[in-house]
Amino acid sequence: MPLLESLSKDIPDTISVLVDLPGHGDSTDVVADLCNTADLLVDAVGPATYIGYSLGARVVLHAAFQHPDRVENCILISGTAGIEDERERAARRASDDALAERVFDIGTEAFIDQWLGQPMFASLSADVSQRTQRLVNTPQGLANSLRTCGTGVQEPLWDRLNEFPVPSLLIVGSRDDKFRMIAERMHRLMPASRLAVIEGAGHSAHLEMPGTVALEVARWLTVQH
């Protein structure tokens, strides 16, 4: 993974552990909601700095609230504390259910291509999109993830962010307008947090500009230690 390669140069002697979340990769047969996924993640990794992107960022948020003694630092890339409006959350839940059905109808490859074709990934070039790695996912695994860990089923955490127990770095691309506004709001609410906006990057800043993201991570961890 390009980000880990860059981190190994900027933070030598660091041990990195890649984890497949439920429904993805080698964990395709695992079914768990966000809270249970957070427990599984911390049980697998132990005390550490946790980095999460998108769904992974939401899992890390839960892990920090549930296990502040073992989550030493949080690095959240393009994350959110959830959808506050109940009607909007219900609409997202229905949308995720429809997507879950669609992946069975069209198969993993076509689904991945449609997923990457969304406007939020417009700045993500084909050579760094990790399309090949995504193709190992199965329709059942992706459907389970959408239904159990989508933002439509997530209980919003906004009203708890002012008591967030872990130092946090929030990373977002400057071209990702929606998540930039979310990150700015999270930063205002979260104590001991820092916001890093990656200029020229979109939603997948860690894939688009891994070197820049790694440098932000290294600088922040240096201050924490």
Side-chain angles (χ1 to χ4, degrees), residues 79-186:
T80 178
I83 301 172
E84 293 172 288
D85 184 83
E86 290 185 10
R87 286 179 295 181
E88 185 181 346
R89 197 160 63 248
R92 179 56 183 268
R93 193 159 55 246
S95 174
D96 285 344
D97 282 340
L99 281 175
E101 289 299 322
R102 183 159 182 76
V103 69
F104 287 111
D105 292 339
I106 66 176
T108 298
E109 184 170 5
F111 182 83
I112 293 299
D113 288 339
Q114 288 189 9
W115 183 265
L116 293 173
Q118 296 179 90
M120 68 190 303
F121 298 117
S123 58
L124 184 62
S125 62
D127 60 326
V128 297
S129 67
Q130 297 188 329
R131 179 180 182 275
T132 301
Q133 293 95 316
R134 297 172 193 263
L135 292 178
V136 304
N137 295 317
T138 66
Q140 187 65 65
L142 293 173
N144 287 339
S145 179
L146 285 163
R147 287 171 170 151
T148 59
C149 291
T151 49
V153 296
Q154 175 185 342
E155 288 297 320
L157 300 172
W158 289 101
D159 61 352
R160 298 181 60 195
L161 290 184
N162 61 351
E163 58 187 40
F164 195 68
V166 176
S168 306
L169 173 64
L170 310 177
I171 297 177
V172 67
S174 66
R175 299 173 64 180
D176 188 5
D177 293 336
K178 175 182 176 180
F179 280 85
R180 180 172 180 173
M181 287 190 291
I182 290 173
E184 289 171 347
R185 182 185 174 196
M186 291 177 67

Side-chain angles (χ1 to χ4, degrees), residues 6 8-9 14 19 28 34-35 41 43 54 76 85 91 110 116 124 147 154 160 172-173 189-190 196 202:
S6 297
S8 67
K9 298 175 184 177
T14 296
V19 177
T28 189
L34 285 169
C35 293
L41 175 65
D43 286 345
S54 195
L76 311 174
D85 184 83
L116 293 173
L124 184 62
R147 287 171 170 151
Q154 175 185 342
R160 298 181 60 195
V172 67
L189 293 171
M190 297 169 71

Side-chain angles (χ1 to χ4, degrees), residues 3-100:
L3 176 59
L4 293 186
E5 293 173 5
S6 297
L7 281 174
S8 67
K9 298 175 184 177
D10 294 331
I11 315 175
D13 302 321
T14 296
I15 298 174
S16 298
V17 178
L18 286 173
V19 177
D20 289 327
L21 294 179
H24 298 81
D26 289 337
S27 299
T28 189
D29 294 330
V30 180
V31 181
D33 63 15
L34 285 169
C35 293
N36 289 331
T37 297
D39 290 339
L40 291 171
L41 175 65
V42 173
D43 286 345
V45 177
T49 289
Y50 285 78
I51 302 177
Y53 158 69
S54 195
L55 165 58
R58 294 188 289 115
V59 171
V60 170
L61 271 177
H62 283 76
F65 274 123
Q66 295 167 207
H67 303 281
D69 57 326
R70 288 190 280 176
V71 178
E72 298 168 356
N73 302 281
C74 286
I75 299 168
L76 311 174
I77 304 172
S78 303
T80 178
I83 301 172
E84 293 172 288
D85 184 83
E86 290 185 10
R87 286 179 295 181
E88 185 181 346
R89 197 160 63 248
R92 179 56 183 268
R93 193 159 55 246
S95 174
D96 285 344
D97 282 340
L99 281 175

